[in-house]
Amino acid sequence: MSEPTSKYSITMPRDIAEAAKARSGPSGLSAYVASAVARQVERDNLNELIAVAEAEHGPITDEEIHALRDQMHQARRDQAGQTQGGADAA
C-alpha cells in the first residue's frame, strides 16, 4: 500500500518546471517532483549526520576520503570479477 498523499501548490521557475515536466515520463510531474524532494531530504539528513560526526570526531581528511574511495573501487572490481568468474564456471 502506498503512502497517503496531499495536494500542495508550489512555485518554481518556469524553465525548471518545463524541464521537469518533459522528463517526468509516464509517472507524471507530481511523482518526479516527489522523488526529487525525497532525494533532497536524504541529502539534508546525511549532511546533518556528517556535521554531528565531524563535531564529535573532527573533519574527514582528503587522505581518508581517497583511501575509502580506493577501497570502494577495489571492492567493486572484486565483485565484478566474482560475477564474471561465476558466469564462466556455469
Side-chain angles (χ1 to χ4, degrees), residues 18-84:
E18 292 301 320
K21 189 174 179 181
R23 293 181 175 267
S24 64
S27 62
L29 182 59
S30 290
Y32 189 86
V33 171
S35 179
V37 171
R39 281 191 307 276
Q40 185 62 48
V41 169
E42 289 173 354
R43 287 182 182 140
D44 293 345
N45 289 340
L46 181 57
N47 286 334
E48 290 172 8
L49 181 62
I50 290 169
V52 169
E54 286 186 338
E56 186 174 334
H57 302 288
I60 300 169
T61 66
D62 286 341
E63 292 80 18
E64 291 171 317
I65 291 170
H66 292 297
L68 289 171
R69 280 190 181 144
D70 290 343
Q71 289 177 6
M72 182 180 66
H73 291 306
Q74 184 60 48
R76 286 181 178 161
R77 286 190 295 270
D78 293 347
Q79 185 178 27
Q82 291 174 359
T83 302
Q84 290 173 355

Side-chain angles (χ1 to χ4, degrees), residues 8-28:
Y8 297 92
S9 175
I10 61 169
T11 303
M12 70 174 80
R14 180 173 289 150
D15 60 335
I16 293 173
E18 292 301 320
K21 189 174 179 181
R23 293 181 175 267
S24 64
S27 62

Side-chain angles (χ1 to χ4, degrees), residues 7 32 88:
K7 189 171 185 170
Y32 189 86
D88 293 339

